[in-house]
Amino acid sequence: VSRRPLIVVSNRGPISFARAEGGERIARRGAGGLATALRGLLAREEVTWIASAISDEDRALVAETGGLVPEDAGAPCRLRLLAHDPEAYDGFYNVIANPLLWFVQHSLYGLGAQPVLDERFQRAWAGYVAVNNGFAVEVVAALDNAPQAAVFFHDYHLYLAPRVVRDARPDALLAHFVHIPWPQSDGWSVLPVDQRRAVHDGLLANDLVGVHTQRWRRNLVASAADVLGAGRDHDGRVVHRGRTTTITSRPISVDAGEFDALASSAAVLDAEELVVRGRRERLVLRVDRADPSKNIVRGFTAFGLLLDRHPEWHGRVVMLALLDPSREGVPEYDAYRDAIECEAAAVNARHASAGYQPVDLRIVDDFPLSVAGYKQYDVLLVNAVFDGLNLVAKEGPLVNDRAGVLVLSENAGAHEELGEWALTVNPFDVLGQAEALHAALSMDAGERERRADALANQVRTHDVGHWIDSLLDDLAGVSA
Ligand code: F6P
């Protein structure tokens, strides 16, 4: 099937601009798994990418150029940045996308008290609508330039835009990938009925919707029926407003070659020296954005319980937590960061002794250090409350040198693919996590190697290129 040009649409783009100390404009790689994974796409396809202007320097560039990033500015493809109305964008990003949709989709609310959907929510929803409309206008303009292009929306920031594009261009080929969990229908009842319906109706304006796992796929098919009364056709596609949407489950992955190169890069080798110097006989590692969905506080509690229940590990094991600061300024995230620091300090206060500090917490954006940690861990803890996939669970095993054991939440999407070679934990059961850490630390070498080899092999043979190919094939299938 001959492939069409692609219009990729996401809130965060592949690069973002900043001012260097000398005053010159520099391009930085967009943060997060989505921007990283999609880079592989750019190498293969003709891509126009539409994304939000996020930094001040992004906005300055839009003021100068009207939005199209000049070819020599470091963008890996044709890139158009949108400078949204600041107030609308604030409601869109800091209230609706995060925390509301993020918390609903990761089941993070304690519903006795949160959320409270008041006038602030109403205003923010208007911002979410406005930003989505802004994206849709740009997509329609891009389609006018390239009518054969397929549009590829990403994530929970953009649930409404596909419907607006569909209404304007009924024959356009539209696809959307949702990188986060899709909860069961009842989870969506936190949103008022109009918003709940708008989210589902917008998503089903696409011809193709991708999620990472069968579990999220089942939930999406069920909630489309419950929220909108959508039906199914003989091929299992969802039928809504006289159109069909194919829902596909395609777990995202990483670029194995890129990680191999990183693992032997100077920056990682330097960082590794620090990790080796700080390590004891065993190293438990976690690498995450500082996000409540990642379950960092319970992870420290579990590590403290490990030391309580198995004192033989005292002095012999350190837990290194490398946390990338995220969504600072969103109150839920700021409070969570405090809770992280508090629990790490509590475990250290209980178990530290002369020269031994059991928890080494670092809240820094330091990717080389994370890769160095990946190489050195004996146990990698991924205990997410819920997670669309979790790339750490794939990145670690790819470069680890110590036949390390993966302890993996049953609610991380990666569990569907990797669970048989990991030790599975329930993310709420801290005693279970403590015992899983003990089992991982005590596992004999042969068993560790068997599991570690299988994990690395699975990731290597199902890397991000495989993910991109599968999605492009799905897209060719729906357009045929
Ligand atoms: O899919 C989740 C995601 O959008 C990923 O791209 C990334 O891991 C993270 O969330 C980034 O979040 P933000 O753009 O809010 O920093």
Side-chain angles (χ1 to χ4, degrees), residues 32-33 102-103 106-108 179-181 212 285-300 319 321-327 333 336 340 374 381-393 395 407-409 411-414 425-428 433:
W102 185 271
F103 272 44
H106 291 82
S107 309
L108 291 174
H179 293 258
I180 65 175
H212 290 308
L285 176 75
R286 77 172 308 139
V287 175
D288 286 298
R289 280 184 307 104
D291 189 298
S293 68
K294 305 296 183 184
N295 211 18
I296 297 154
V297 174
R298 285 195 193 87
F300 288 147
M319 179 169 189
L322 301 176
L323 306 181
D324 197 354
S326 188
R327 302 174 189 165
Y333 282 75
Y336 193 65
I340 288 170
Y374 288 158
L381 177 62
V382 177
N383 64 330
V385 171
F386 277 97
D387 209 329
L389 184 96
N390 194 292
L391 283 176
V392 169
E395 292 168 356
V407 173
L408 184 58
S409 166
N411 290 343
V425 288
N426 171 296
F428 312 102
Q433 286 165 59

Short mmCIF file of all heavy atoms in Angstrom, two decimals, residues 32-33 102-103 106-108 179-181 212 285-300 319 321-327 333 336 340 374 381-393 395 407-409 411-414 425-428 433:
data_model
loop_
_atom_site.label_atom_id
_atom_site.label_comp_id
_atom_site.label_asym_id
_atom_site.label_seq_id
_atom_site.Cartn_x
_atom_site.Cartn_y
_atom_site.Cartn_z
N GLY A 32 9.42 13.59 27.36
CA GLY A 32 8.36 12.59 27.42
C GLY A 32 8.46 11.52 26.35
O GLY A 32 9.10 11.70 25.31
N GLY A 33 7.80 10.43 26.63
CA GLY A 33 7.89 9.25 25.79
C GLY A 33 7.32 9.45 24.40
O GLY A 33 7.86 8.96 23.40
N TRP A 102 -6.12 13.31 33.23
CA TRP A 102 -5.05 12.40 33.67
C TRP A 102 -5.49 11.59 34.90
O TRP A 102 -5.31 10.38 34.97
CB TRP A 102 -3.78 13.21 33.97
CG TRP A 102 -2.60 12.37 34.33
CD1 TRP A 102 -2.24 11.94 35.58
CD2 TRP A 102 -1.63 11.83 33.43
NE1 TRP A 102 -1.11 11.18 35.52
CE2 TRP A 102 -0.71 11.08 34.20
CE3 TRP A 102 -1.44 11.90 32.05
CZ2 TRP A 102 0.38 10.42 33.66
CZ3 TRP A 102 -0.35 11.23 31.50
CH2 TRP A 102 0.54 10.50 32.29
N PHE A 103 -6.09 12.29 35.85
CA PHE A 103 -6.52 11.61 37.09
C PHE A 103 -7.67 10.64 36.82
O PHE A 103 -7.73 9.56 37.39
CB PHE A 103 -6.90 12.65 38.16
CG PHE A 103 -5.73 13.11 39.00
CD1 PHE A 103 -4.51 13.41 38.43
CD2 PHE A 103 -5.85 13.23 40.38
CE1 PHE A 103 -3.43 13.84 39.20
CE2 PHE A 103 -4.78 13.64 41.17
CZ PHE A 103 -3.57 13.94 40.58
N HIS A 106 -6.19 7.58 35.02
CA HIS A 106 -5.31 6.74 35.84
C HIS A 106 -5.96 6.37 37.17
O HIS A 106 -5.28 5.84 38.05
CB HIS A 106 -3.97 7.46 36.11
CG HIS A 106 -3.10 7.61 34.89
ND1 HIS A 106 -3.29 8.62 33.98
CD2 HIS A 106 -2.07 6.87 34.42
CE1 HIS A 106 -2.38 8.50 33.00
NE2 HIS A 106 -1.64 7.45 33.24
N SER A 107 -7.26 6.66 37.31
CA SER A 107 -8.01 6.31 38.53
C SER A 107 -7.32 6.85 39.78
O SER A 107 -7.15 6.13 40.77
CB SER A 107 -8.16 4.79 38.64
OG SER A 107 -8.66 4.25 37.46
N LEU A 108 -6.94 8.12 39.75
CA LEU A 108 -6.16 8.67 40.86
C LEU A 108 -6.98 9.45 41.87
O LEU A 108 -6.47 9.82 42.92
CB LEU A 108 -5.06 9.60 40.30
CG LEU A 108 -3.94 8.91 39.53
CD1 LEU A 108 -3.00 9.93 38.91
CD2 LEU A 108 -3.17 7.94 40.41
N HIS A 179 -2.10 7.47 24.65
CA HIS A 179 -0.91 6.86 25.27
C HIS A 179 -1.14 6.52 26.74
O HIS A 179 -0.22 6.05 27.41
CB HIS A 179 0.29 7.80 25.15
CG HIS A 179 0.75 8.00 23.73
ND1 HIS A 179 1.84 7.36 23.22
CD2 HIS A 179 0.24 8.74 22.72
CE1 HIS A 179 2.01 7.71 21.94
NE2 HIS A 179 1.04 8.55 21.62
N ILE A 180 -2.30 6.80 27.26
CA ILE A 180 -2.54 6.57 28.69
C ILE A 180 -3.69 5.55 28.84
O ILE A 180 -4.33 5.20 27.85
CB ILE A 180 -2.81 7.90 29.44
CG1 ILE A 180 -4.11 8.57 28.97
CG2 ILE A 180 -1.63 8.85 29.24
CD1 ILE A 180 -4.46 9.84 29.77
N PRO A 181 -3.93 5.05 30.06
CA PRO A 181 -4.94 4.00 30.21
C PRO A 181 -6.33 4.50 29.79
O PRO A 181 -6.62 5.69 29.88
CB PRO A 181 -4.95 3.71 31.72
CG PRO A 181 -3.67 4.24 32.24
CD PRO A 181 -3.30 5.39 31.36
N HIS A 212 -2.40 1.11 23.99
CA HIS A 212 -1.25 0.22 24.15
C HIS A 212 -1.61 -1.24 24.41
O HIS A 212 -0.81 -2.13 24.16
CB HIS A 212 -0.38 0.70 25.32
CG HIS A 212 0.36 1.98 25.04
ND1 HIS A 212 1.13 2.15 23.93
CD2 HIS A 212 0.43 3.14 25.74
CE1 HIS A 212 1.68 3.36 23.96
NE2 HIS A 212 1.25 3.98 25.03
N LEU A 285 16.35 0.25 41.75
CA LEU A 285 16.23 1.52 41.01
C LEU A 285 14.78 1.79 40.66
O LEU A 285 14.01 0.87 40.36
CB LEU A 285 17.02 1.41 39.69
CG LEU A 285 16.93 2.60 38.73
CD1 LEU A 285 17.76 3.77 39.24
CD2 LEU A 285 17.39 2.22 37.31
N ARG A 286 14.41 3.08 40.69
CA ARG A 286 13.20 3.49 40.00
C ARG A 286 13.51 4.74 39.21
O ARG A 286 14.31 5.59 39.65
CB ARG A 286 12.02 3.66 40.94
CG ARG A 286 12.03 4.94 41.76
CD ARG A 286 10.70 5.09 42.51
NE ARG A 286 9.59 4.97 41.59
CZ ARG A 286 8.47 4.31 41.85
NH1 ARG A 286 8.29 3.72 43.01
NH2 ARG A 286 7.51 4.26 40.96
N VAL A 287 12.91 4.88 38.03
CA VAL A 287 13.09 6.05 37.17
C VAL A 287 11.70 6.46 36.70
O VAL A 287 10.98 5.66 36.10
CB VAL A 287 13.95 5.70 35.93
CG1 VAL A 287 14.04 6.89 34.99
CG2 VAL A 287 15.36 5.27 36.36
N ASP A 288 11.29 7.67 37.02
CA ASP A 288 9.92 8.10 36.68
C ASP A 288 9.84 9.60 36.56
O ASP A 288 10.68 10.31 37.09
CB ASP A 288 8.95 7.71 37.82
CG ASP A 288 8.66 6.24 37.87
OD1 ASP A 288 8.10 5.71 36.91
OD2 ASP A 288 9.01 5.60 38.89
N ARG A 289 8.79 10.08 35.90
CA ARG A 289 8.40 11.47 36.14
C ARG A 289 7.82 11.51 37.55
O ARG A 289 7.22 10.52 38.01
CB ARG A 289 7.33 11.93 35.13
CG ARG A 289 7.89 12.32 33.79
CD ARG A 289 6.82 12.87 32.84
NE ARG A 289 5.71 11.96 32.73
CZ ARG A 289 4.54 12.12 33.30
NH1 ARG A 289 4.29 13.21 34.03
NH2 ARG A 289 3.59 11.24 33.15
N ALA A 290 7.96 12.65 38.23
CA ALA A 290 7.39 12.78 39.58
C ALA A 290 5.88 12.95 39.44
O ALA A 290 5.37 14.07 39.41
CB ALA A 290 8.03 13.96 40.31
N ASP A 291 5.19 11.84 39.33
CA ASP A 291 3.76 11.85 39.00
C ASP A 291 3.04 10.86 39.92
O ASP A 291 3.53 9.74 40.12
CB ASP A 291 3.60 11.42 37.53
CG ASP A 291 2.18 11.60 37.01
OD1 ASP A 291 1.24 10.98 37.54
OD2 ASP A 291 2.02 12.38 36.05
N PRO A 292 1.86 11.28 40.45
CA PRO A 292 1.16 10.38 41.37
C PRO A 292 0.81 9.03 40.74
O PRO A 292 0.70 8.03 41.45
CB PRO A 292 -0.13 11.14 41.73
CG PRO A 292 -0.03 12.49 41.12
CD PRO A 292 1.20 12.58 40.28
N SER A 293 0.65 8.98 39.43
CA SER A 293 0.32 7.70 38.79
C SER A 293 1.46 6.70 38.92
O SER A 293 1.27 5.50 38.78
CB SER A 293 -0.02 7.91 37.30
OG SER A 293 1.14 8.31 36.59
N LYS A 294 2.66 7.20 39.18
CA LYS A 294 3.82 6.31 39.23
C LYS A 294 3.96 5.60 40.58
O LYS A 294 4.76 4.70 40.73
CB LYS A 294 5.11 7.08 38.91
CG LYS A 294 5.08 7.83 37.57
CD LYS A 294 4.97 6.90 36.37
CE LYS A 294 5.01 7.70 35.06
NZ LYS A 294 4.82 6.83 33.88
N ASN A 295 3.21 6.08 41.59
CA ASN A 295 3.16 5.35 42.87
C ASN A 295 4.48 5.35 43.62
O ASN A 295 4.90 4.34 44.20
CB ASN A 295 2.72 3.90 42.60
CG ASN A 295 1.93 3.31 43.77
OD1 ASN A 295 1.42 4.03 44.62
ND2 ASN A 295 1.84 1.99 43.80
N ILE A 296 5.11 6.51 43.63
CA ILE A 296 6.46 6.63 44.19
C ILE A 296 6.43 6.51 45.72
O ILE A 296 7.29 5.86 46.32
CB ILE A 296 7.08 7.96 43.72
CG1 ILE A 296 7.22 7.93 42.19
CG2 ILE A 296 8.43 8.20 44.39
CD1 ILE A 296 7.21 9.28 41.52
N VAL A 297 5.41 7.12 46.33
CA VAL A 297 5.36 7.09 47.80
C VAL A 297 5.21 5.66 48.31
O VAL A 297 5.95 5.21 49.19
CB VAL A 297 4.20 7.99 48.30
CG1 VAL A 297 4.05 7.86 49.81
CG2 VAL A 297 4.46 9.46 47.92
N ARG A 298 4.26 4.91 47.72
CA ARG A 298 4.10 3.51 48.17
C ARG A 298 5.37 2.68 47.89
O ARG A 298 5.67 1.73 48.60
CB ARG A 298 2.90 2.85 47.50
CG ARG A 298 1.54 3.30 48.06
CD ARG A 298 0.43 2.35 47.62
NE ARG A 298 -0.89 2.89 47.87
CZ ARG A 298 -1.55 3.66 47.01
NH1 ARG A 298 -1.00 4.00 45.86
NH2 ARG A 298 -2.76 4.10 47.29
N GLY A 299 6.09 3.07 46.84
CA GLY A 299 7.34 2.36 46.55
C GLY A 299 8.35 2.53 47.69
O GLY A 299 9.02 1.57 48.10
N PHE A 300 8.44 3.76 48.22
CA PHE A 300 9.35 3.98 49.37
C PHE A 300 8.85 3.24 50.60
O PHE A 300 9.63 2.67 51.36
CB PHE A 300 9.47 5.48 49.68
CG PHE A 300 10.26 6.26 48.65
CD1 PHE A 300 9.92 7.58 48.36
CD2 PHE A 300 11.32 5.68 47.99
CE1 PHE A 300 10.65 8.31 47.43
CE2 PHE A 300 12.05 6.41 47.05
CZ PHE A 300 11.71 7.72 46.77
N MET A 319 18.15 2.08 47.59
CA MET A 319 17.15 2.36 46.57
C MET A 319 17.45 3.73 45.98
O MET A 319 17.41 4.75 46.67
CB MET A 319 15.75 2.38 47.17
CG MET A 319 14.70 2.70 46.11
SD MET A 319 13.07 2.42 46.74
CE MET A 319 12.13 2.61 45.23
N ALA A 321 16.22 6.56 43.50
CA ALA A 321 14.99 7.02 42.83
C ALA A 321 15.35 8.25 42.00
O ALA A 321 15.70 9.30 42.56
CB ALA A 321 13.92 7.35 43.86
N LEU A 322 15.29 8.12 40.70
CA LEU A 322 15.61 9.23 39.79
C LEU A 322 14.30 9.75 39.21
O LEU A 322 13.66 9.09 38.40
CB LEU A 322 16.52 8.73 38.66
CG LEU A 322 17.84 8.12 39.13
CD1 LEU A 322 18.64 7.58 37.94
CD2 LEU A 322 18.67 9.17 39.88
N LEU A 323 13.90 10.94 39.68
CA LEU A 323 12.58 11.44 39.34
C LEU A 323 12.69 12.74 38.55
O LEU A 323 13.31 13.70 39.01
CB LEU A 323 11.76 11.68 40.61
CG LEU A 323 11.66 10.48 41.56
CD1 LEU A 323 10.79 10.84 42.76
CD2 LEU A 323 11.09 9.26 40.85
N ASP A 324 12.07 12.72 37.39
CA ASP A 324 12.08 13.88 36.52
C ASP A 324 10.96 14.83 36.98
O ASP A 324 9.80 14.42 37.04
CB ASP A 324 11.79 13.35 35.09
CG ASP A 324 12.17 14.33 34.02
OD1 ASP A 324 12.53 15.46 34.37
OD2 ASP A 324 12.06 13.96 32.84
N PRO A 325 11.29 16.10 37.32
CA PRO A 325 10.23 17.01 37.76
C PRO A 325 9.18 17.15 36.67
O PRO A 325 9.53 17.21 35.48
CB PRO A 325 10.96 18.35 37.96
CG PRO A 325 12.41 18.05 37.91
CD PRO A 325 12.60 16.74 37.22
N SER A 326 7.91 17.20 37.03
CA SER A 326 6.86 17.19 36.01
C SER A 326 5.67 18.03 36.44
O SER A 326 5.28 18.00 37.61
CB SER A 326 6.42 15.74 35.79
OG SER A 326 5.55 15.65 34.71
N ARG A 327 5.12 18.79 35.50
CA ARG A 327 3.86 19.53 35.71
C ARG A 327 3.91 20.36 36.99
O ARG A 327 2.93 20.41 37.75
CB ARG A 327 2.68 18.55 35.70
CG ARG A 327 2.63 17.79 34.39
CD ARG A 327 1.62 16.72 34.30
NE ARG A 327 1.86 15.95 33.07
CZ ARG A 327 1.37 14.76 32.77
NH1 ARG A 327 0.56 14.16 33.60
NH2 ARG A 327 1.66 14.16 31.64
N TYR A 333 0.37 18.01 41.79
CA TYR A 333 1.74 17.53 41.57
C TYR A 333 2.69 18.08 42.62
O TYR A 333 3.59 17.39 43.09
CB TYR A 333 2.21 17.88 40.15
CG TYR A 333 1.61 16.93 39.13
CD1 TYR A 333 0.28 17.04 38.75
CD2 TYR A 333 2.36 15.89 38.60
CE1 TYR A 333 -0.29 16.15 37.85
CE2 TYR A 333 1.80 15.00 37.70
CZ TYR A 333 0.48 15.13 37.33
OH TYR A 333 -0.08 14.24 36.46
N TYR A 336 2.16 16.16 45.71
CA TYR A 336 2.72 14.80 45.60
C TYR A 336 4.24 14.82 45.79
O TYR A 336 4.81 13.93 46.42
CB TYR A 336 2.33 14.16 44.26
CG TYR A 336 2.61 12.68 44.24
CD1 TYR A 336 1.92 11.81 45.09
CD2 TYR A 336 3.60 12.14 43.43
CE1 TYR A 336 2.19 10.45 45.11
CE2 TYR A 336 3.89 10.79 43.45
CZ TYR A 336 3.18 9.94 44.29
OH TYR A 336 3.46 8.60 44.31
N ILE A 340 6.46 12.69 48.38
CA ILE A 340 7.61 11.86 47.98
C ILE A 340 8.80 12.14 48.91
O ILE A 340 9.42 11.23 49.46
CB ILE A 340 8.02 12.20 46.52
CG1 ILE A 340 7.01 11.65 45.53
CG2 ILE A 340 9.42 11.69 46.21
CD1 ILE A 340 7.23 12.16 44.09
N TYR A 374 20.02 2.37 34.77
CA TYR A 374 19.51 1.18 34.06
C TYR A 374 20.59 0.11 33.95
O TYR A 374 20.34 -1.07 34.07
CB TYR A 374 19.07 1.54 32.64
CG TYR A 374 17.79 2.35 32.49
CD1 TYR A 374 17.57 3.10 31.33
CD2 TYR A 374 16.81 2.33 33.47
CE1 TYR A 374 16.39 3.82 31.15
CE2 TYR A 374 15.63 3.06 33.30
CZ TYR A 374 15.43 3.80 32.14
OH TYR A 374 14.28 4.50 31.96
N LEU A 381 12.14 -1.23 39.96
CA LEU A 381 10.78 -1.19 40.51
C LEU A 381 9.90 -0.29 39.65
O LEU A 381 10.16 0.91 39.52
CB LEU A 381 10.80 -0.68 41.96
CG LEU A 381 9.42 -0.54 42.62
CD1 LEU A 381 8.69 -1.88 42.71
CD2 LEU A 381 9.53 0.10 44.00
N VAL A 382 8.86 -0.87 39.06
CA VAL A 382 7.85 -0.13 38.29
C VAL A 382 6.51 -0.53 38.88
O VAL A 382 5.95 -1.56 38.54
CB VAL A 382 7.91 -0.50 36.79
CG1 VAL A 382 6.82 0.23 36.02
CG2 VAL A 382 9.28 -0.16 36.20
N ASN A 383 6.03 0.28 39.84
CA ASN A 383 4.85 -0.14 40.61
C ASN A 383 3.66 0.78 40.36
O ASN A 383 2.83 1.00 41.24
CB ASN A 383 5.19 -0.19 42.11
CG ASN A 383 5.53 1.17 42.68
OD1 ASN A 383 6.05 2.03 41.96
ND2 ASN A 383 5.25 1.39 43.94
N ALA A 384 3.55 1.32 39.13
CA ALA A 384 2.54 2.33 38.81
C ALA A 384 1.13 1.96 39.29
O ALA A 384 0.72 0.80 39.20
CB ALA A 384 2.51 2.55 37.30
N VAL A 385 0.41 2.98 39.77
CA VAL A 385 -1.01 2.81 40.12
C VAL A 385 -1.75 2.32 38.87
O VAL A 385 -2.43 1.29 38.89
CB VAL A 385 -1.60 4.15 40.62
CG1 VAL A 385 -3.11 4.06 40.78
CG2 VAL A 385 -0.95 4.57 41.92
N PHE A 386 -1.63 3.09 37.82
CA PHE A 386 -2.01 2.71 36.46
C PHE A 386 -1.03 3.41 35.52
O PHE A 386 -0.54 4.48 35.84
CB PHE A 386 -3.44 3.15 36.11
CG PHE A 386 -4.50 2.20 36.60
CD1 PHE A 386 -5.16 2.45 37.79
CD2 PHE A 386 -4.82 1.06 35.88
CE1 PHE A 386 -6.13 1.57 38.26
CE2 PHE A 386 -5.79 0.18 36.35
CZ PHE A 386 -6.44 0.44 37.54
N ASP A 387 -0.77 2.79 34.39
CA ASP A 387 0.14 3.40 33.42
C ASP A 387 -0.27 2.91 32.04
O ASP A 387 -0.56 1.71 31.87
CB ASP A 387 1.58 2.97 33.72
CG ASP A 387 2.61 4.03 33.30
OD1 ASP A 387 2.33 4.73 32.31
OD2 ASP A 387 3.66 4.13 33.95
N GLY A 388 -0.31 3.82 31.06
CA GLY A 388 -0.69 3.42 29.71
C GLY A 388 0.18 2.28 29.23
O GLY A 388 -0.29 1.24 28.79
N LEU A 389 1.49 2.46 29.34
CA LEU A 389 2.43 1.40 29.00
C LEU A 389 3.54 1.33 30.06
O LEU A 389 3.65 0.40 30.80
CB LEU A 389 3.06 1.61 27.62
CG LEU A 389 3.94 0.41 27.30
CD1 LEU A 389 3.22 -0.61 26.46
CD2 LEU A 389 5.24 0.82 26.71
N ASN A 390 4.37 2.34 30.13
CA ASN A 390 5.58 2.49 30.94
C ASN A 390 6.82 2.06 30.17
O ASN A 390 7.15 0.88 30.08
CB ASN A 390 5.52 1.75 32.28
CG ASN A 390 6.64 2.24 33.18
OD1 ASN A 390 7.81 1.99 32.92
ND2 ASN A 390 6.29 3.00 34.20
N LEU A 391 7.50 3.07 29.64
CA LEU A 391 8.69 2.79 28.83
C LEU A 391 9.90 2.40 29.66
O LEU A 391 10.80 1.72 29.16
CB LEU A 391 9.02 4.00 27.94
CG LEU A 391 8.13 4.15 26.71
CD1 LEU A 391 8.47 5.43 25.96
CD2 LEU A 391 8.26 2.96 25.77
N VAL A 392 9.92 2.82 30.94
CA VAL A 392 11.06 2.45 31.80
C VAL A 392 11.20 0.93 31.84
O VAL A 392 12.31 0.38 31.82
CB VAL A 392 10.85 3.04 33.22
CG1 VAL A 392 11.85 2.47 34.21
CG2 VAL A 392 10.95 4.57 33.16
N ALA A 393 10.05 0.24 31.89
CA ALA A 393 10.06 -1.23 31.96
C ALA A 393 10.68 -1.85 30.71
O ALA A 393 11.06 -3.02 30.72
CB ALA A 393 8.66 -1.76 32.17
N GLU A 395 13.06 0.18 28.68
CA GLU A 395 14.40 0.76 28.53
C GLU A 395 15.41 0.07 29.44
O GLU A 395 16.54 -0.22 29.02
CB GLU A 395 14.35 2.26 28.88
CG GLU A 395 13.57 3.08 27.86
CD GLU A 395 13.26 4.51 28.34
OE1 GLU A 395 13.58 4.86 29.49
OE2 GLU A 395 12.69 5.26 27.55
N VAL A 407 10.42 -5.71 38.73
CA VAL A 407 9.24 -5.86 39.58
C VAL A 407 8.18 -4.93 38.98
O VAL A 407 8.39 -3.72 38.92
CB VAL A 407 9.55 -5.49 41.05
CG1 VAL A 407 8.29 -5.49 41.89
CG2 VAL A 407 10.59 -6.46 41.62
N LEU A 408 7.08 -5.49 38.51
CA LEU A 408 6.19 -4.74 37.62
C LEU A 408 4.74 -4.77 38.08
O LEU A 408 4.17 -5.84 38.36
CB LEU A 408 6.30 -5.34 36.20
CG LEU A 408 5.54 -4.66 35.08
CD1 LEU A 408 5.94 -3.19 34.93
CD2 LEU A 408 5.77 -5.40 33.76
N SER A 409 4.16 -3.59 38.12
CA SER A 409 2.74 -3.46 38.49
C SER A 409 1.85 -4.16 37.48
O SER A 409 2.03 -4.03 36.26
CB SER A 409 2.37 -1.98 38.53
OG SER A 409 0.95 -1.82 38.57
N ASN A 411 -0.92 -3.19 36.82
CA ASN A 411 -1.70 -2.14 36.16
C ASN A 411 -0.88 -1.27 35.20
O ASN A 411 -1.38 -0.26 34.72
CB ASN A 411 -2.35 -1.22 37.20
CG ASN A 411 -3.46 -1.92 37.96
OD1 ASN A 411 -3.96 -2.95 37.50
ND2 ASN A 411 -3.84 -1.37 39.10
N ALA A 412 0.36 -1.63 34.95
CA ALA A 412 1.13 -0.95 33.90
C ALA A 412 0.85 -1.69 32.60
O ALA A 412 0.88 -2.92 32.55
CB ALA A 412 2.62 -1.00 34.23
N GLY A 413 0.59 -0.91 31.54
CA GLY A 413 0.28 -1.55 30.26
C GLY A 413 1.36 -2.54 29.83
O GLY A 413 1.08 -3.57 29.22
N ALA A 414 2.62 -2.24 30.17
CA ALA A 414 3.73 -3.11 29.78
C ALA A 414 3.57 -4.51 30.35
O ALA A 414 4.19 -5.47 29.84
CB ALA A 414 5.06 -2.51 30.24
N VAL A 425 3.43 -7.21 40.84
CA VAL A 425 2.93 -6.68 42.11
C VAL A 425 1.61 -5.94 41.93
O VAL A 425 1.35 -5.38 40.86
CB VAL A 425 3.93 -5.72 42.80
CG1 VAL A 425 5.12 -6.49 43.34
CG2 VAL A 425 4.39 -4.60 41.86
N ASN A 426 0.82 -5.98 42.98
CA ASN A 426 -0.36 -5.12 43.07
C ASN A 426 0.15 -3.77 43.61
O ASN A 426 0.84 -3.74 44.63
CB ASN A 426 -1.37 -5.76 44.03
CG ASN A 426 -2.52 -4.82 44.35
OD1 ASN A 426 -2.33 -3.76 44.95
ND2 ASN A 426 -3.71 -5.19 43.95
N PRO A 427 -0.18 -2.67 42.93
CA PRO A 427 0.45 -1.39 43.31
C PRO A 427 0.00 -0.84 44.67
O PRO A 427 0.66 0.04 45.21
CB PRO A 427 0.04 -0.45 42.18
CG PRO A 427 -1.17 -1.08 41.56
CD PRO A 427 -1.00 -2.56 41.73
N PHE A 428 -1.10 -1.36 45.20
CA PHE A 428 -1.61 -0.84 46.48
C PHE A 428 -1.09 -1.67 47.66
O PHE A 428 -1.13 -1.24 48.80
CB PHE A 428 -3.14 -0.83 46.45
CG PHE A 428 -3.65 -0.19 45.18
CD1 PHE A 428 -4.13 -0.97 44.13
CD2 PHE A 428 -3.56 1.18 44.99
CE1 PHE A 428 -4.54 -0.39 42.93
CE2 PHE A 428 -3.96 1.76 43.80
CZ PHE A 428 -4.45 0.98 42.77
N GLN A 433 4.68 -5.72 47.75
CA GLN A 433 5.82 -5.13 47.05
C GLN A 433 7.12 -5.36 47.82
O GLN A 433 8.17 -5.64 47.22
CB GLN A 433 5.59 -3.63 46.82
CG GLN A 433 4.56 -3.35 45.73
CD GLN A 433 4.07 -1.91 45.75
OE1 GLN A 433 4.85 -0.98 45.61
NE2 GLN A 433 2.77 -1.73 45.94
#
